[in-house]
Amino acid sequence: MEVVSDTSKKHFATYIFIDLESTGLPGDQPKITEICLIAVNRYCLENIEYTDGIPSKQPCFPRVVDKLCICIDPNKLITPNVSKITGLTNNILQGSKKKQFSSDVAQLLKSFIERQEQPVCMVAHNGYNYDFPLLKVEMSSIGCNILDGVYCTDSLTGMKALDKVTRGQISGGYSLSDLFFHFYQKHADNAHSADGDVVTLIMIFMKKAADLTEWIDEHSTLFCDITPMYTISESQPSGCPGRFRNNDEGNKGKESFSDSPQVSLCTSSHKASV
Ligand code: DCM
Ligand code: MG
């Protein structure tokens, strides 16, 4: 998805790293199952501590962060393959009485963002193609635009742009797992949990913090300019009356999707294909 960045120079005070888990890929018209935001003040990114005090060694995860993690009942089937990678099933979300995406989630996000030193920028890896368009769908489905004035950016675009300048020093790909392996020579923990992926993103970010913060100051876009991943027909209710309860071993308890809102798909690339 092409997102035109606002290249006017800013000086973000807080970076809010964000990751979503969902029921699937863009072609599946996914719904969010989990959302995690970790806010890191610029001060922590300009004063990174290292395991043994030497900058060439490993950065320590910032001690002072704000964190918000919310599990959400998608009211849509989570296929066994997606459950396998995320650890989230319809049964466990419904059994835990998680609520659907609603205005209280939007309000929580807004309050969390407003609590940070301003201006803030939300940072997601492949965010322009996945996380922000999906969040936009959910916000639109409840008719809520309270995040429209928040800046957001894509760390994948940033990492690629910076690597181009340094003539391709990054071996392998630019996915979260590839970048983590490149920088730390081990596999990231808790991949495909929203919390785990945000922690991984921050650990990667800290390896290029000076360059990335500067790049983001010149490459962000307002959430209102993000195109939704797909559109939900207004003739259909946004809430889906069917309940989805899939058996953890398979699809046996799957109910019909015929009551789902009608959706049309906008182009958005595969989250994992980066
Ligand atoms: N996803 C998927 N299949 C994959 C990778 C991801 O369906 N192979 C979907 C479900 C995940 C969501 O994308 O919850 C977000 O991906 P990630 O865990 O990489 O953030
Ligand atoms: Mg994730």
Side-chain angles (χ1 to χ4, degrees), residues 19-25 28 33 82 85-86 130-131 191-193 197 270-272:
D19 187 72
L20 305 181
E21 299 308 321
S22 78
T23 58
L25 297 171
D28 307 323
T33 53
V82 172
I85 64 165
T86 65
Y130 194 87
D131 304 81
H192 304 300
S193 79
D197 286 345
H270 177 178
K271 170 82 172 171

Side-chain angles (χ1 to χ4, degrees), residues 3-12 15 42 121-128 132 152-165 205 208-221:
V3 173
V4 180
S5 281
D6 175 352
T7 53
S8 64
K9 181 90 175 153
K10 303 182 190 59
H11 189 81
F12 291 111
Y15 297 85
R42 191 181 190 110
C121 188
M122 298 192 287
V123 185
H125 204 69
N126 203 24
Y128 284 159
F132 299 129
C152 48
T153 196
D154 189 334
S155 49
L156 172 64
T157 311
M159 289 299 294
K160 274 187 182 170
L162 293 177
D163 195 38
K164 211 169 165 185
V165 174
F205 194 98
K208 293 276 173 199
D211 293 338
L212 276 171
T213 48
E214 200 177 321
W215 184 86
I216 289 172
D217 283 348
E218 294 180 358
H219 297 86
S220 63
T221 193

Side-chain angles (χ1 to χ4, degrees), residues 12-210:
F12 291 111
T14 309
Y15 297 85
I16 301 183
F17 298 90
I18 177 168
D19 187 72
L20 305 181
E21 299 308 321
S22 78
T23 58
L25 297 171
D28 307 323
Q29 296 136 21
K31 300 285 298 290
I32 296 174
T33 53
E34 188 181 31
I35 183 163
C36 179
L37 287 78
I38 298 184
V40 185
N41 192 278
R42 191 181 190 110
Y43 177 86
C44 289
L45 296 169
E46 289 177 346
N47 295 276
I48 294 173
E49 296 191 355
Y50 293 86
T51 44
D52 60 358
I54 303 167
S56 61
K57 297 294 178 186
Q58 304 299 13
C60 301
F61 191 81
R63 174 65 183 84
V64 176
V65 298
D66 283 352
K67 185 166 163 180
L68 178 67
C69 294
I70 306 169
C71 287
I72 294 167
D73 177 354
N75 205 14
K76 180 171 179 134
L77 179 75
I78 309 171
T79 61
N81 282 345
V82 172
S83 289
K84 199 171 167 189
I85 64 165
T86 65
L88 294 173
T89 62
N90 292 101
N91 283 352
I92 199 161
L93 289 167
Q94 289 172 17
S96 307
K97 308 296 178 213
K98 293 295 117 184
K99 294 179 181 164
Q100 292 173 43
F101 194 97
S102 58
S103 56
D104 63 287
V105 177
Q107 196 54 56
L108 274 172
L109 299 179
K110 184 160 188 274
S111 301
F112 181 86
I113 291 167
E114 283 180 350
R115 190 175 159 72
Q116 311 307 321
E117 186 187 6
Q118 306 293 313
V120 311
C121 188
M122 298 192 287
V123 185
H125 204 69
N126 203 24
Y128 284 159
N129 281 316
Y130 194 87
D131 304 81
F132 299 129
L134 178 52
L135 183 58
K136 192 71 180 266
V137 172
E138 298 276 22
M139 294 292 288
S140 304
S141 76
I142 58 167
C144 184
N145 62 3
I146 58 178
L147 299 184
D148 276 5
V150 182
Y151 282 98
C152 48
T153 196
D154 189 334
S155 49
L156 172 64
T157 311
M159 289 299 294
K160 274 187 182 170
L162 293 177
D163 195 38
K164 211 169 165 185
V165 174
T166 53
R167 301 213 171 96
Q169 285 178 356
I170 292 176
S171 53
Y174 296 93
S175 69
L176 268 191
S177 53
D178 286 343
L179 287 171
F180 189 85
F181 195 83
H182 170 79
F183 287 125
Y184 294 95
Q185 292 80 51
K186 61 182 180 184
H187 294 291
D189 291 332
N190 302 321
H192 304 300
S193 79
D195 179 13
D197 286 345
V198 175
V199 169
T200 299
L201 174 54
I202 293 172
M203 292 302 291
I204 291 167
F205 194 98
M206 286 194 297
K207 285 283 190 176
K208 293 276 173 199

Side-chain angles (χ1 to χ4, degrees), residues 227-243:
T227 305
M229 188 183 276
Y230 53 92
T231 53
I232 299 174
S233 161
E234 282 181 17
S235 63
Q236 296 287 327
S238 60
C240 178
R243 299 296 292 152

